Amino acid sequence: MNTHFDRSTIRDFIKACGQMLLLLSILFAFPVYAAGEEVTGITTALGIDTAENPAADKPLLDAPSEEGASASPVVIPEPAPPPIISGESTNNVQIETTPTPQKDNDIRQRIQGIFSEIEGLQAVNVSVTQGVVTLTGETPNEKKAQQAINLTNRLTDVVTVEDRIDRTLDVQDNVTTVYQGLKAQAKNLVKALPLLLVGIVLFALVTWFGSWLSNRKKMWQRLTPNPFVAELLSQTVKVIFIIFGLILALSLIGAETILGTLLGGAGVIGIAVGFAVKDTIENYIASLMLSIRQPFRARDHILINNQEGIVVRLTSRATILMTLDGNQLRIPNAEVFKATILNYTKNPERRFTFELGVDANDDPLAAIKVGLDAIYTLAFVLDEPKAVAVITNVGDSNIILEFQIWVDQSDTDFSKARSIAIRETKHALENEGFSLPEPIYRLRFNSNLEKAFENMQANANTDSAKSDMTITPIMPKVTDKNQNEDNSVDDKDKKQAKARAKLILQGRNADEVLNARPDDKLMEKVEQEIAESSDETDLLNNNSPQE
């Protein structure tokens, strides 16, 4: 019994202390908004029903001042609008135990006074019973009906709102409302025209200054020798000034939120456009990298993925070449950046090779010396690096020699030089008695077939004779007499050929055939293309460092 008594006594004491603490907090007028959560926590822990405490519903509390000072009212923050559920609005304030008809009448008059001042709510009727507000009458649309419900629900003494409003959806009422709204906006726009004009002028001035600063090409070129980077910097400065001018203009007319909406929309659009123009962006980045790396210069003879030509210019989209056929070739920079580039002009010394075969009975080293002696008589052949020749293969009827010759392609046409060198080497070998044989085959017939050929005209019954023919790639065995006869025939043919060639080469324009200088007409076309004015900036610059 004593234990039970002690526990109940302690519980009653704690409950009394909690009530005393709650009373003191109200008397000293702590802000309800700040102290509400603490008081609720205490009363919940102590089991106290706060519904019996009417002080919590008072909008104003008079806080006692220290040492007899005058009391100052403490304003209770206005509660947030309650949620609307299924067309009904409920107020979350505490319900009074003893409502009065006078208070219901005050609520009705207050609501009617508010509705009388709002367009579209004059036809709404209000009736209040026991704090329950019933709204009847008509509104032109759902928006006005919800506005009436929300306004009614904001009164502190309203228990709940019954929505019985009829939405007429009348065309004239709704159109009139929209018309009046547009008319009001038009009046506001007319009033704001001077400020809007000032904003437009400010935006135009800032944008003009950004464009003027962007067009100072010499200044940007002094900052960076790379033309593409200089252009990129100038365009970036221009865009920055445009955005800055837009911010100033919108701030002046008080429409900063529009800028946030525009930037948000631009971000979404930018992502979509980025996926759509992925190849264009890749090409633009490749142009930037090529302008920084400068892998070639104008007038360079290059080979890009089997596309050969002379460089005309490098633009922000493509590399322009003049092919050896005299045609203009545009290669996208994205392909150029990833391609294998062979630059013939970077090192003007270039080697060409060709092969000739001599008879198997001839000494190949002697043939090499004769060929090199003839090659060194040509003016376009370089002394350093030296021209060399090697034996590459020994065939069934000849020995293959490969001649390797160096020329300066800056003043020598590569293909012409190779053609002339082959001709002179061939003639030198033939003049020294070296033959350039072709494969020789021996035909062997059996005896029956030979007799059949001999008696073909005399005997018509030789059709049944059997024949066999085999071809063996061996040198024929001939007598010295036959050999001399064949050689004399060959010498005679060679002499006739040389005499014919000598006669032809003495004719008009023969020097052009023997001239190994490059064609000036092609370089003239290249210079013409380079000199032509173009809307696209040439990203090749001799002042930029080259990789």
Side-chain angles (χ1 to χ4, degrees):
M1 290 292 296
N2 293 334
T3 304
H4 179 72
F5 176 78
D6 293 339
R7 290 180 178 176
S8 61
T9 303
I10 293 172
R11 188 182 300 110
D12 294 337
F13 177 77
I14 293 173
K15 187 174 182 181
C17 290
Q19 291 176 348
M20 184 67 66
L21 181 61
L22 178 61
L23 220 60
L24 288 175
S25 64
I26 296 173
L27 292 175
F28 283 101
F30 287 143
V32 175
Y33 183 78
E37 293 183 359
E38 296 180 2
V39 174
T40 303
I42 295 173
T43 55
T44 302
L46 298 178
I48 302 174
D49 188 5
T50 58
E52 298 177 359
N53 186 11
D57 294 337
K58 294 182 179 181
L60 296 177
L61 295 176
D62 294 335
S65 61
E66 296 181 359
E67 300 180 358
S70 61
S72 60
V74 178
V75 180
I76 301 176
E78 183 180 355
I84 299 174
I85 303 174
S86 302
E88 295 186 359
S89 176
T90 58
N91 201 324
N92 59 354
V93 299
Q94 295 178 348
I95 302 175
E96 293 183 353
T97 306
T98 57
T100 61
Q102 180 64 34
K103 182 169 291 188
D104 290 343
N105 187 40
D106 294 341
I107 294 173
R108 182 181 59 78
Q109 291 180 357
R110 178 60 175 156
I111 296 175
Q112 286 181 345
I114 294 173
F115 287 176
S116 64
E117 299 297 328
I118 299 176
E119 183 69 24
L121 299 183
Q122 290 88 347
V124 177
N125 300 321
V126 182
S127 62
V128 183
T129 304
Q130 298 291 324
V132 178
V133 180
T134 303
L135 301 179
T136 58
E138 298 178 349
T139 58
N141 48 48
E142 179 66 24
K143 181 179 179 180
K144 287 296 181 180
Q146 292 297 332
Q147 183 181 10
I149 295 172
N150 292 334
L151 290 173
T152 303
N153 192 50
R154 291 180 62 181
L155 269 71
T156 56
D157 295 329
V158 173
V159 176
T160 187
V161 179
E162 289 290 336
D163 179 15
R164 298 179 184 177
I165 301 174
D166 183 17
R167 283 77 166 173
T168 61
L169 301 179
D170 184 68
V171 176
Q172 183 177 358
D173 293 340
N174 286 278
V175 172
T176 302
T177 303
V178 174
Y179 171 74
Q180 291 177 352
L182 293 176
K183 186 177 179 180
Q185 292 180 1
K187 290 182 179 179
N188 294 332
L189 182 60
V190 172
K191 293 179 181 179
L193 278 179
L195 192 60
L196 183 62
L197 290 176
V198 173
I200 293 175
V201 171
L202 180 62
F203 173 74
L205 288 176
V206 174
T207 303
W208 172 83
F209 180 75
S211 300
W212 178 84
L213 190 63
S214 175
N215 292 330
R216 304 301 95 190
K217 295 183 179 180
K218 292 184 178 180
M219 179 185 69
W220 301 114
Q221 289 175 359
R222 283 196 298 267
L223 293 176
T224 173
N226 189 292
F228 189 77
V229 176
E231 183 180 2
L232 184 62
L233 286 176
S234 64
Q235 294 299 324
T236 302
V237 169
K238 183 177 180 180
V239 172
I240 290 174
F241 271 89
I242 291 175
I243 296 176
F244 181 67
L246 186 61
I247 292 174
L248 289 179
L250 292 177
S251 300
L252 184 64
I253 63 177
E256 298 91 339
T257 55
I258 298 178
L259 182 62
T261 304
L262 292 176
L263 292 178
V268 175
I269 295 174
I271 294 174
V273 173
F275 281 106
V277 296
K278 178 177 68 67
D279 294 337
T280 303
I281 296 175
E282 180 185 7
N283 199 54
Y284 188 83
I285 296 175
S287 302
L288 175 62
M289 297 303 297
L290 287 174
S291 67
I292 296 174
R293 294 172 56 186
Q294 297 282 323
F296 41 77
R297 303 288 193 192
R299 304 174 186 85
D300 281 0
H301 183 187
I302 63 175
L303 179 68
I304 303 176
N305 285 349
N306 298 324
Q307 299 288 345
E308 186 175 0
I310 300 174
V311 179
V312 175
R313 66 172 57 91
L314 172 66
T315 67
S316 60
R317 291 188 292 270
T319 299
I320 303 174
L321 303 180
M322 177 68 70
T323 65
L324 302 183
D325 299 331
N327 299 318
Q328 189 186 79
L329 176 64
R330 298 175 66 93
I331 306 176
N333 286 334
E335 296 182 11
V336 176
F337 183 72
K338 296 182 291 185
T340 301
I341 302 175
L342 178 60
N343 194 330
Y344 293 118
T345 309
K346 189 73 173 179
N347 182 14
E349 297 175 350
R350 184 178 177 186
R351 190 188 74 175
F352 64 82
T353 62
F354 62 89
E355 293 181 348
L356 289 176
V358 298
D359 193 278
N361 295 325
D362 293 330
D363 188 344
L365 294 181
I368 288 174
K369 183 179 184 305
V370 171
L372 291 179
D373 290 341
I375 287 171
Y376 276 117
T377 60
L378 301 175
F380 55 79
V381 176
L382 298 179
D383 295 331
E384 290 293 337
K386 294 182 178 180
V388 297
V390 294
I391 302 172
T392 59
N393 191 18
V394 177
D396 296 329
S397 59
N398 58 4
I399 299 174
I400 305 300
L401 306 179
E402 182 183 86
F403 292 88
Q404 303 172 358
I405 304 168
W406 290 84
V407 296
D408 186 352
Q409 57 183 348
S410 61
D411 57 5
T412 303
D413 187 279
F414 185 79
S415 57
K416 287 183 180 180
R418 185 174 184 274
S419 175
I420 295 172
I422 293 174
R423 171 185 178 273
E424 294 300 325
T425 305
K426 173 180 177 296
H427 286 177
L429 291 174
E430 290 177 344
N431 291 337
E432 293 295 331
F434 292 93
S435 59
L436 308 178
E438 296 180 356
I440 301 175
Y441 298 94
R442 179 182 177 183
L443 301 179
R444 178 184 296 174
F445 300 95
N446 61 14
S447 58
N448 293 333
L449 185 57
E450 290 177 356
K451 292 178 180 180
F453 281 126
E454 291 175 356
N455 300 326
M456 185 180 297
Q457 295 180 354
N459 188 0
N461 296 326
T462 56
D463 296 337
S464 61
K466 297 181 180 179
S467 64
D468 185 16
M469 181 177 66
T470 59
I471 301 175
T472 57
I474 60 175
M475 295 298 294
K477 295 181 180 180
V478 296
T479 61
D480 294 338
K481 183 179 179 179
N482 293 334
Q483 180 73 35
N484 294 332
E485 292 178 356
D486 293 338
N487 290 338
S488 62
V489 173
D490 292 340
D491 293 340
K492 184 179 180 180
D493 293 340
K494 290 179 180 179
K495 290 179 181 180
Q496 292 178 354
K498 290 180 179 180
R500 182 171 60 251
K502 184 177 180 181
L503 180 63
I504 293 173
L505 293 176
Q506 290 178 353
R508 186 172 60 88
N509 298 330
D511 293 338
E512 296 180 2
V513 179
L514 301 176
N515 187 6
R517 291 190 59 80
D519 188 5
D520 295 334
K521 185 63 178 177
L522 180 61
M523 293 307 299
E524 289 177 2
K525 293 188 67 175
V526 172
E527 294 295 338
Q528 183 180 357
E529 286 281 344
I530 294 175
E532 285 183 356
S533 60
S534 176
D535 296 335
E536 299 174 318
T537 304
D538 190 2
L539 306 182
L540 297 176
N541 189 354
N542 293 330
N543 297 326
S544 299
Q546 190 174 16
E547 64 175 2

